[in-house]
Amino acid sequence: MTATSVARTAALALGDDALVLSHRLGEWAGHAPVLEEEVALANIALDLLGQARILLSLVGDEDELAYLREERAFRNLQLVEQPNGDFAHTIARQLFFSTYQHLLYGRLAAGDGEFAPLAAKAVKETEYHRDHAEQWTLRLGDGTEESHARMQRAVDTLWRFTGEPFQPVEGLAEAPLVEEEWLASVTTVLERATLTVPEGPRTGAWAAGAGRQGLHTEPFGRMIAEMQHLHRSHPGATW
Amino acid sequence: MTEGQTHPAKEGSAPDQQTVFDAAVAADERIEPRDWMPDAYRASLVRQIAQHAHSEIIGMQPEANWITRAPSLRRKAILMAKVQDEAGHGLYLYSAAETLGTSREELLDKLHAGRQKYSSIFNYPTLTWADVGAIGWLVDGAAITNQVPICRCSYGPYARAMVRICKEESFHQRQGFESLLALSQGTPEQHAMAQDAVNRWWWPSLMMFGPPDDESSHSAQSMQWKIKRHSNDELRQRFVDIAVPQAKALGLTLPDPDLRWNEERGHHDFGAIDWAEFWDVLKGNGPCNDQRITQRRRAHEEGAWVRDAAAAYASKHRKTKGEAA
């Protein structure tokens, strides 16, 4: 099944989000702070990769799309391409993204659009991801002095990327509709975690909708260079 | 607590307990955590299970090395799932070891300090994508040959962990084989990549069965206790006999000019293993020993603040709950 042309833009945006964040989480393998997190982070990465494969397949060949597009053709949010940083940074990124994804998929699953069947499955996965990120936000925020400081720094650093998910995307009218719920939910979690909701803007002049238009941050090019190099070195090969 | 000093308070006299233990082992009954067991049996199991757990954890590294470079999304998903399973196997095995009165923290500390070992195979580098397939086929294949008999090990928790682990390992092994087959039947470059990987991983895989029987310090005792069921050399021979037809099916050769079928023995003869290399790797001088342990230590040290945070949060909120009650 391929998507209608309107839904292709949306499928590419959502598929790239999942693909790129899955890749970032894959970088944690063998480096996590406890074994249980090796399992959890890989599990989330796998769920996201599964979503990416379904979404990209709606648009075309999943491997061609993942491995042969240039940086400027990727439509993922700038949020998900941000480097892992420390564990707090990874958790803040996950909290912001999973909350968005869970709310969005909840809405898509309830509707009768092209993504409803996919969203019905993915919403269960994203609920688990969201819970994992929330639990860790509480533990780090309300843990030790050091973990509190690190978690606050992570939230502050990534805050300026949190407006982009709610910019309009063709074929995805639902995205802007979940912004208020997102803000309310994230605010509650941050406050429970004894953290301060940042005062800075949620989109800079650059970040607003930029990733969705193929404008990315510098670390992203290096990430896809690593991701694509083997595939590109063997044109036409099957694996 | 140190190994071997954690058995429950003794009741009755030691010889009686030894007799009961010996009879249980002889009758192929399972020894369980609360049963009396000889201190040396306990210590030997802790050593073996810990080494096994450490191997799962260190073994994540050579494969994780390729997660970000996997050449297709399907292969990437398979590899991520596999590395995740390995972390899970590590968790089962640390739990099994803990039933003997040690703790995961203590075992990890020993790993990080170089006082407990992990399988020598993981000190070899993964230089190409084909290495991931070769590890699945050969390294997991050797591991399964080693581990299936442990499903009948005399110590219950270890035996039960192995039943579950072997199921997943068999799946990984088939995936590794299938990945190598795709390369072998692919472009000439892919075929060459597969052959090169098999050339590099064959001998280290044979070394996974440990030293020859006459140089294996723990073997005789472990077999008497039914922790081990077969000797190193027996298992190694079994593995070679299984691998040879598989290599043929893959369309790849094994890097051993002396490898040939021996009609009389009903087994394959194979060339001499470079035991000097084996002992050298075991001593810490392999290509990746330092890198592997450094990464493991670093992950642990850099994660300390996260574990501290979780502990602080748990104790705060336990207190809050207690006060509310």
Side-chain angles (χ1 to χ4, degrees):
Chain A
M1 188 190 83
T2 52
T4 61
S5 65
V6 170
R8 281 167 61 96
T9 309
L12 208 53
L14 297 179
D16 283 351
D17 284 350
L19 177 71
V20 170
L21 187 53
S22 164
H23 185 96
R24 284 298 189 206
L25 292 173
E27 293 172 352
W28 269 104
H31 299 271
V34 281
L35 289 176
E36 285 81 356
E37 282 307 296
E38 294 284 1
V39 178
L41 295 173
N43 206 319
I44 297 169
L46 265 173
D47 286 345
L48 290 169
L49 186 53
Q51 294 168 14
R53 295 181 65 191
I54 294 170
L55 286 157
L56 294 180
S57 297
L58 294 174
V59 180
D61 179 272
E62 62 177 36
D63 286 335
E64 262 181 54
L65 287 163
Y67 291 100
L68 298 175
R69 271 182 300 159
E70 301 280 339
E71 179 174 345
R72 292 279 282 110
F74 276 85
R75 293 290 178 263
N76 56 282
L77 299 168
Q78 289 186 349
L79 174 67
V80 296
E81 75 200 29
Q82 294 311 302
N84 289 334
D86 66 5
F87 189 68
H89 204 264
T90 290
I91 290 299
R93 186 183 63 195
Q94 202 65 44
L95 174 73
F96 294 157
F97 181 73
S98 294
T99 304
Y100 153 72
Q101 216 192 11
H102 184 235
L103 293 170
L104 179 66
Y105 281 159
R107 203 170 263 261
L108 291 171
D112 55 2
E114 270 186 274
F115 299 120
L118 162 88
K121 175 175 179 283
V123 76
K124 291 177 201 143
E125 295 169 348
T126 56
E127 183 178 6
Y128 161 78
H129 305 167
R130 180 179 175 174
D131 181 56
H132 174 263
E134 287 184 2
Q135 297 294 332
W136 270 114
T137 303
L138 295 177
R139 274 161 185 72
L140 299 181
D142 193 14
T144 63
E145 216 170 291
E146 183 185 5
S147 69
H148 178 90
R150 284 180 184 254
M151 193 65 212
Q152 185 68 56
R153 198 178 319 136
V155 165
D156 292 347
T157 305
L158 292 169
W159 194 246
R160 71 193 179 88
F161 298 105
T162 60
E164 189 183 354
F166 312 103
Q167 299 294 318
V169 174
E170 191 188 2
L172 204 59
E174 293 85 352
L177 305 178
V178 296
E179 182 163 16
E180 265 181 53
E181 271 180 278
W182 181 91
L183 193 56
S185 167
V186 166
T187 301
T188 304
V189 175
L190 294 181
E191 284 174 353
R192 278 186 61 207
T194 72
L195 295 160
T196 308
V197 178
E199 285 174 4
R202 296 199 12 253
T203 46
W206 174 255
R212 294 282 187 240
Q213 295 156 35
L215 296 171
H216 295 279
T217 54
E218 284 184 349
F220 182 61
R222 205 165 290 111
M223 191 207 98
I224 63 167
E226 181 173 341
M227 182 172 93
Q228 296 181 337
H229 101 273
L230 178 60
H231 185 97
R232 283 182 182 269
S233 301
H234 296 265
T238 49
W239 301 93
Chain B
M1 280 189 281
T2 53
E3 290 161 31
Q5 297 183 347
T6 53
H7 49 75
K10 291 183 182 180
E11 286 168 30
S13 62
D16 289 343
Q17 291 165 324
Q18 182 73 52
T19 308
V20 171
F21 173 84
D22 289 343
V25 170
D28 271 338
E29 283 167 20
R30 290 280 162 80
I31 307 300
E32 297 297 339
R34 290 163 186 274
D35 295 340
W36 183 89
M37 62 188 86
D39 286 350
Y41 175 84
R42 185 184 299 273
S44 184
L45 274 169
V46 168
R47 181 185 55 76
Q48 184 175 337
I49 301 174
Q51 179 168 328
H52 197 159
H54 298 333
S55 301
E56 296 284 356
I57 300 312
I58 297 284
M60 294 167 70
Q61 290 183 30
E63 294 177 284
N65 183 36
W66 280 91
I67 285 178
T68 55
R69 293 175 290 170
S72 75
L73 296 187
R74 175 168 169 265
R75 294 290 175 201
K76 187 173 185 163
I78 289 171
L79 183 55
M80 272 185 184
K82 183 182 178 187
V83 173
Q84 183 192 17
D85 282 349
E86 282 159 2
H89 296 171
L91 286 169
Y92 302 155
L93 287 163
Y94 286 122
S95 297
E98 285 182 333
T99 65
L100 292 160
T102 182
S103 70
R104 200 207 296 182
E105 291 69 30
E106 187 183 1
L107 298 178
L108 281 173
D109 285 346
K110 285 183 177 161
L111 169 68
H112 298 155
R115 286 167 52 213
Q116 282 178 342
K117 296 192 182 314
Y118 55 88
S119 178
S120 61
I121 193 84
F122 300 119
N123 292 313
Y124 290 86
T126 46
L127 301 178
T128 72
W129 168 253
D131 290 33
V132 172
I135 288 179
W137 174 44
L138 292 173
V139 176
D140 293 348
I144 293 163
T145 309
N146 249 331
Q147 290 169 5
V148 165
I150 304 176
C151 297
R152 295 183 294 124
C153 161
S154 59
Y155 188 59
Y158 192 24
R160 289 189 289 272
M162 290 323 300
V163 170
R164 188 147 171 205
I165 289 173
C166 282
K167 280 182 196 161
E168 293 180 349
E169 292 288 3
S170 305
F171 190 57
H172 298 161
Q173 204 236 354
R174 282 205 297 278
Q175 288 172 327
F177 181 90
E178 193 253 338
S179 174
L180 268 190
L181 187 64
L183 294 176
S184 179
Q185 297 178 343
T187 65
E189 291 79 11
Q190 287 177 304
H191 181 88
M193 193 193 279
Q195 184 62 62
D196 169 62
V198 169
N199 292 349
R200 283 181 289 107
W201 288 93
W202 172 249
W203 291 108
S205 300
L206 294 191
M207 294 178 196
M208 284 174 70
F209 296 94
D213 292 347
D214 50 12
E215 287 177 52
S216 177
S217 52
H218 303 291
S219 271
Q221 181 64 77
S222 288
M223 284 177 71
Q224 204 186 343
W225 278 328
K226 295 188 180 169
I227 295 174
K228 256 182 108 136
R229 297 278 179 161
H230 309 279
S231 79
N232 294 352
D233 288 333
E234 263 175 67
L235 291 170
R236 188 166 13 245
Q237 179 71 59
R238 186 180 294 179
F239 174 69
V240 172
D241 289 339
I242 293 169
V244 169
Q246 291 181 346
K248 193 177 250 180
L250 282 169
L252 297 171
T253 60
L254 296 169
D256 179 359
D258 297 327
L259 186 65
R260 65 180 56 84
W261 177 251
N262 181 326
E263 190 67 54
E264 220 169 282
R265 292 202 305 125
H267 290 291
H268 292 86
D269 291 337
F270 54 98
I273 290 171
D274 183 351
W275 291 112
E277 176 180 317
F278 172 78
W279 293 113
D280 207 33
V281 173
L282 217 62
K283 265 185 262 164
N285 301 321
C288 298
N289 297 60
D290 192 48
Q291 177 189 329
R292 299 286 185 245
I293 209 72
T294 299
Q295 178 177 327
R296 183 84 267 297
R297 265 192 223 132
R298 187 186 299 143
H300 191 73
E301 282 162 15
E302 288 179 358
W305 69 272
V306 177
R307 297 189 299 276
D308 290 348
Y313 180 87
S315 97
K316 266 186 225 179
H317 289 266
R318 213 173 11 243
K319 219 180 281 170
T320 318
K321 255 186 223 163
E323 281 162 9

